[in-house]
Amino acid sequence: MTQFRMSKFLSVLNTNQLLQKRLYKKPTKSASYLSLSGEVLYGVQPVQMALSANRRTVHCLYYNPGSVRTEQVVQTCQDRGVLCRQVDRQGLTDICRQADRYKEHHVHQGMVADVSKLYHYPMDYTMPQVTQSPPVIPPRPANSPPPVWLLLCSVKDPYNLGTIIRTAYYLGVERVIVTGTRCDLSCTVSKASSGTLEVTPVFAVRNAPHLLQSKVEEGWRVLAAVMQTDNADSAMLPRMPVDCLSLTSPTILVLGSEGSGIPTEVMDCVTQGVYISPGKWVDSQLDSLNVSVAAAIVIHKLCSTVEVDS
């Protein structure tokens, strides 16, 4: 009996030692941190787009050679007199973690830049950090479709914001505006937008109802993404399925955050609601789409279906 217990004890001990060996990780070399002049921008496409747009100051480029695109970006920086430093991939990862220490894996593609920050362009207030005017939009041709603007209410997730900016730019939205609580135009937003943030000015407004009311007076339609059956506050709002949506006049599309939705004072300015019907019966707890997905569906239908007055 004693021999059996001893054998069992040794078996458990060996198992624990094996688990400890499997869980043990060799300690990595301590990360080296750099003193940055601005913020981190990582990924070949965001850095390349930032250089093309010329809205940021590039203080230094850290790179790991290995691709033609990387060498092209390095050459561009060297031609502009930007300091370029070769760093191994782990070193680049360490630099990225200075910007986001909670993210496990940064897809820097062997390129990280120390750049100046991007700010929202204020529409009804001033910011001392914003010294440049927004990029000039070319005049609209006489036969072009009505303009579409996008108003985002308290969309705080940088991945959602970046995805929406990329979608809006690609599908032809003329202006992206944010209001309420908003996230910074960080490297995470730029990476999520695949660099589109670098060429897309993002505006900010504090008094969104005033902006919307003034646009309604100018003949614009204020369209909001809503639920098919909504609360009592917007029960009287006329709404249509996204399949019936078309661009008949200048339009501002309003989207709310997934947590708090569209504020009441903004909903009071909305003239039309649009909803996306589910493809089948869904659980009542899953009653909507991610805001970036909903934005893509509505913007695509809105910008691709234009009705011209005869």
Side-chain angles (χ1 to χ4, degrees):
M1 189 69 175
T2 304
Q3 184 178 2
F4 173 76
R5 288 180 179 176
M6 180 60 71
S7 175
K8 186 175 182 181
F9 171 77
L10 291 175
S11 176
V12 172
L13 182 62
N14 291 334
T15 301
N16 289 338
Q17 289 176 341
L18 181 61
L19 286 173
Q20 287 177 1
K21 287 182 179 179
R22 289 179 177 176
L23 293 174
Y24 174 76
K25 293 182 179 180
K26 185 178 180 180
T28 57
K29 186 172 62 176
S30 58
S32 56
Y33 289 92
L34 299 173
S35 177
L36 300 173
S37 300
E39 67 174 10
V40 168
L41 182 68
Y42 60 91
V44 175
Q45 184 77 355
V47 174
Q48 203 167 34
M49 297 285 276
L51 290 168
S52 300
N54 206 28
R55 294 169 59 204
R56 298 184 191 258
T57 299
V58 182
H59 303 293
C60 184
L61 179 71
Y62 303 93
Y63 71 98
N64 183 253
S67 71
V68 175
R69 292 183 68 191
T70 298
E71 296 300 330
Q72 290 173 345
V73 174
V74 172
Q75 186 61 54
T76 300
C77 287
Q78 290 175 340
D79 292 343
R80 297 187 182 186
V82 176
L83 177 64
C84 298
R85 292 180 56 184
Q86 188 171 325
V87 183
D88 62 29
R89 298 191 73 85
Q90 183 58 49
L92 294 175
T93 299
D94 292 341
I95 298 173
C96 290
R97 283 178 178 158
Q98 290 184 234
D100 187 358
R101 69 184 65 181
Y102 300 106
K103 190 174 181 181
E104 279 292 324
H105 181 59
H106 296 80
V107 187
H108 52 65
Q109 299 172 299
M111 183 173 297
V112 178
D114 178 4
V115 298
S116 60
K117 293 187 67 173
L118 284 182
Y119 295 95
H120 306 88
Y121 290 101
M123 297 180 66
D124 57 357
Y125 64 99
T126 58
M127 282 183 65
Q129 299 93 333
V130 181
T131 57
Q132 295 181 341
S133 300
V136 178
I137 299 176
R140 297 176 59 83
N143 59 346
S144 62
V148 174
W149 289 9
L150 182 63
L151 177 64
L152 304 175
C153 300
S154 296
V155 175
K156 301 182 286 292
D157 184 275
Y159 298 98
N160 279 336
L161 179 59
T163 303
I164 291 171
I165 289 172
R166 181 179 183 180
T167 298
Y169 177 85
Y170 187 82
L171 295 179
V173 171
E174 189 173 282
R175 180 171 292 196
V176 177
I177 309 168
V178 296
T179 189
T181 307
R182 55 185 180 268
C183 64
D184 292 335
L185 302 180
S186 64
C187 61
T188 306
V189 177
S190 187
K191 183 65 174 175
S193 74
S194 192
T196 310
L197 173 66
E198 306 303 317
V199 296
T200 304
V202 179
F203 295 82
V205 63
R206 288 180 176 172
N207 192 344
H210 177 74
L211 169 67
L212 297 178
Q213 289 167 1
S214 64
K215 286 300 177 183
V216 169
E217 292 172 0
E218 294 174 12
W220 285 56
R221 172 179 57 171
V222 179
L223 183 71
V226 297
M227 306 294 294
Q228 185 171 357
T229 56
D230 222 328
N231 55 43
D233 294 336
S234 58
M236 301 303 294
L237 179 70
R239 61 193 69 199
M240 68 173 72
V242 69
D243 295 339
C244 299
L245 186 62
S246 61
L247 186 58
T248 57
S249 61
T251 299
I252 297 181
L253 173 61
V254 183
L255 293 167
S257 68
E258 296 179 48
S260 55
I262 301 173
T264 303
E265 62 273 17
V266 174
M267 282 300 302
D268 290 340
C269 305
V270 173
T271 58
Q272 179 80 53
V274 61
Y275 61 87
I276 302 170
S277 301
K280 61 175 184 177
W281 177 89
V282 293
D283 191 289
S284 59
Q285 299 176 86
L286 302 172
D287 56 359
S288 63
L289 292 170
N290 174 278
V291 64
S292 63
V293 176
I297 294 172
V298 178
I299 293 171
H300 179 264
K301 187 65 171 68
L302 184 62
C303 293
S304 63
T305 310
V306 181
E307 288 189 7
V308 181
D309 295 334
S310 55

